[in-house]
Amino acid sequence: MDMTALYRISYGMYIVGAMDGQRPVGCVINTCMQITAEPVTLAISVNKDNYTHAVIEKTGLFGISVLSEQTPAPVVSVFGFRSSKEYDKYSVCSHELVQGVPIVQDNTCAGFVCRVKGSHDMGTHTVFFAEVVDAVQGKDLPPMTYEYYHKVIKGKAPAKAPTYQKEVKENQPVSTPSNYVCTVCGYVHEGSLENEPSDYVCPVCGVPKSKFRPA
Ligand SMILES: Cc1cc2nc3c(=O)[nH]c(=O)nc-3n(C[C@H](O)[C@H](O)[C@H](O)COP(=O)(O)O)c2cc1C
C-alpha cells in the first residue's frame, strides 16, 4: 500500500473553537467538510486527547473559522501544537463571539456556528456531525489549503491530526542528531543552532532558541 497516495486528498485549514465556561478554547483542524445541504451539516474529526474535544462534547456547540493564506503562522502553530489545557490561545489573535462561540478574526475568510447533532466514535477520534446555525463572511482572501500550509508555510502536522504521517526522508535516518526541532510547532532547523544569533526565533511559531531540542 502506497501511503503517499493519501497526500493527494485535499483539505482546508480551520480553527474549531468552543466555550469552556467563560474561556474560549480551540484547535487547528484540517478535517472539516460539508456533508448535507438540507439542513447544512458539517462533519469534523477531533482527537479525544484534545482539550477542545471535551468542551465540544460538553457544550454541543462549536465555531469553525476558515483560515486564509494570510492567517499569521504563529496563530496556526499555537492553535495546532499547544493545548488550551495550559495556554490561553486566544491571546495570540483577536476573536469575536458569534452566538456564543469564538470565531478568530485575524484574516479569517468565514465563520460558522455549529450545533452538534450526532457523533461517531472512531477510536482515537470522534467525528462530530453538526448543523450550521449561523454563517458569517470574513475577509475576501484565498482560504488556506492543507497543501499551502505544508508547501508554502512549511508547516507540519502533529501526531494528533487524523491525516498525520511520519516523515521519512529518502536515504536518511528518521532523525539526524545534528538537527534541532522546535518543541512548540515541530519545525526542524537543519544543523546546529550555535551559529544562529542569540535573538533567533522559530520561523514558524516565533518561540526562542531555548524551546528547541536535538531532533
Ligand atoms: C495542520 C494541522 C492539522 C490538524 N488537524 C487536526 C484534526 O483534523 N483533528 C484533530 O483532532 N487535531 C488536528 N490537529 C491537532 C490539534 O490542533 C492539536 O492537537 C492541538 O494542540 C489541540 O489543542 P487543544 O488541546 O487545545 O484542543 C491538527 C494540527 C495541525 C497543525
Side-chain angles (χ1 to χ4, degrees):
M1 187 155 83
D2 184 352
M3 300 295 275
T4 62
L6 292 168
Y7 296 150
R8 302 282 185 179
I9 300 176
S10 305
Y11 307 89
M13 289 281 290
Y14 312 92
I15 286 175
V16 56
M19 288 305 283
D20 186 18
Q22 297 300 307
R23 192 172 76 99
V25 299
C27 67
V28 167
I29 57 168
N30 62 290
T31 49
C32 173
M33 63 187 286
Q34 183 178 351
I35 53 168
T36 63
E38 286 182 19
V40 178
T41 309
L42 302 185
I44 61 170
S45 175
V46 186
N47 192 293
K48 290 177 186 172
D49 292 337
N50 288 354
Y51 192 79
T52 310
H53 182 279
V55 178
I56 294 173
E57 247 185 357
K58 192 164 85 187
T59 61
L61 204 61
F62 62 84
I64 292 286
S65 307
V66 181
L67 306 186
S68 78
E69 290 180 358
Q70 305 306 317
T71 300
V75 171
V76 182
S77 302
V78 164
F79 277 86
F81 288 89
R82 301 198 67 161
S83 180
S84 310
K85 201 188 290 180
E86 42 79 26
Y87 191 76
D88 175 17
K89 298 186 184 184
Y90 287 82
S91 64
V92 301
C93 60
S94 56
H95 73 281
E96 197 174 71
L97 286 186
V98 182
Q99 298 205 24
V101 292
I103 301 291
V104 172
Q105 295 297 299
D106 295 7
N107 292 324
T108 296
C109 299
F112 299 102
V113 180
C114 307
R115 192 177 302 283
V116 176
K117 290 288 172 187
S119 64
H120 195 86
D121 185 341
M122 293 302 297
T124 54
H125 290 70
T126 299
V127 178
F128 293 103
F129 306 104
E131 185 175 341
V132 173
V133 293
D134 201 0
V136 289
Q137 281 281 8
K139 296 262 166 62
D140 186 16
L141 293 167
M144 188 191 293
T145 63
Y146 194 55
E147 188 182 34
Y148 182 93
Y149 170 71
H150 281 283
K151 293 207 171 142
V152 181
I153 300 190
K154 306 252 182 267
K156 313 269 177 211
K160 284 182 193 167
T163 48
Y164 171 75
Q165 282 198 32
K166 240 186 199 157
E167 280 180 51
V168 182
K169 286 189 190 157
E170 270 176 42
N171 306 323
Q172 272 190 20
V174 174
S175 68
T176 313
S178 56
N179 290 344
Y180 280 75
V181 64
C182 172
T183 53
V184 174
C185 72
Y187 170 79
V188 177
H189 179 281
E190 290 186 4
S192 158
L193 285 167
E194 268 171 24
N195 297 329
E196 299 292 355
S198 57
D199 59 352
Y200 172 83
V201 293
C202 171
V204 175
C205 69
V207 297
K209 260 185 183 183
S210 57
K211 294 283 181 189
F212 281 75
R213 296 282 173 270

